[in-house]
Amino acid sequence: MQLLMSPASPYVRKTRVTIRELGLTGQIEEIALSTNALDTDPRLASANPAGKIPALTRDDGPTVHDSRVICRYLDHLAKGSLYPDRRIWEVLTLEATGDALCDAAVAMTYEARFKGTEGKSGEWIEAQWAKAARILASLEARWMSHLSGPVDAGQIAVACGLGYLDLRHAGRDWRATVPELAAWHARFAERPSMADTVPPEA
């Protein structure tokens, strides 16, 4: 199998962390591509018509894409425990929350990068940050006990979303209002799977 990816993407990082947590590194080749919404790599477009990363190509079936689908597939393949039946709805909701944090943060990045100084909308960027801030507050108020439990897909998604805030929006100082979440992230970031997938700063 091959994972078509770009290491700076938080959705890619979530998938790469999952691969490592499940012990699947020897079965999946990671192929780094230079691709974006305005210039899609043809290999990616062929694998996923939406042109989005990550995409997982398989020898025995069609390409699997969307990080949530890929992570669920990999957990099934490895007979893992990242999606435990006994609390599946909490895990899936937390994973969706982590992905929503990524959505808002990536939207901020794209607005600034692809529209440039003259074309970007400050109101749009601040609206996306307001979403991110609400998510951070919700995680601090409602999810700390779950985040402190056994490692699951929801925790991985949140950790990768927070890591992306550090990568692209460090000036927002997200830790200032959510000290418990910040402390949890510092501990989770020490996991080998997280340390091995720290994205480049460029």
Side-chain angles (χ1 to χ4, degrees):
M1 291 183 288
Q2 292 184 330
L3 183 72
L4 305 182
M5 48 80 80
S6 177
S9 164
Y11 311 104
V12 165
R13 189 181 188 191
K14 182 178 77 165
T15 306
R16 297 179 72 211
V17 169
T18 297
I19 289 169
R20 286 153 178 76
E21 290 287 343
L22 294 171
L24 294 174
T25 52
Q27 299 182 40
I28 300 171
E29 180 184 8
E30 296 180 349
I31 307 295
L33 305 176
S34 178
T35 188
N36 61 62
L38 300 181
D39 185 18
T40 303
D41 186 288
R43 289 171 293 178
L44 179 61
S46 177
N48 176 6
K52 293 183 177 182
I53 51 175
L56 182 71
T57 65
R58 302 181 294 162
D59 296 330
D60 60 349
T63 299
V64 179
H65 50 83
D66 188 284
S67 63
R68 270 183 268 187
V69 179
I70 294 173
C71 291
R72 190 76 181 266
Y73 168 76
L74 293 175
D75 191 65
H76 172 77
L77 183 69
K79 297 180 173 58
S81 58
L82 297 180
Y83 294 90
D85 288 340
R86 67 184 181 280
R87 49 192 176 92
I88 188 62
W89 302 116
E90 289 80 5
V91 171
L92 291 175
T93 299
L94 186 58
E95 183 182 15
T97 302
D99 283 358
L101 179 62
C102 294
D103 293 345
V106 169
M108 292 169 65
T109 300
Y110 275 24
E111 183 74 9
R113 177 175 296 176
F114 294 116
K115 291 193 175 182
T117 302
E118 297 300 322
K120 70 181 181 182
S121 167
E123 289 184 358
W124 170 261
I125 290 173
E126 291 309 314
Q128 298 307 310
W129 180 250
K131 293 179 186 179
R134 289 196 299 269
I135 290 168
L136 294 172
S138 174
L139 290 169
E140 178 92 349
R142 304 175 186 174
W143 287 97
M144 292 312 304
S145 62
H146 188 110
L147 287 171
S148 300
V151 174
D152 59 37
Q155 294 179 15
I156 293 171
V158 169
C160 291
L162 296 175
Y164 187 78
L165 292 183
D166 287 337
L167 177 68
R168 297 295 190 224
H169 307 293
R172 297 281 179 168
D173 190 19
W174 64 265
R175 292 174 175 81
T177 58
V178 285
E180 289 186 55
L181 183 63
W184 171 83
H185 182 254
R187 295 190 298 271
F188 199 89
E190 294 177 353
R191 297 184 69 83
S193 61
M194 291 289 289
D196 192 46
T197 58
V198 174
E201 294 186 4

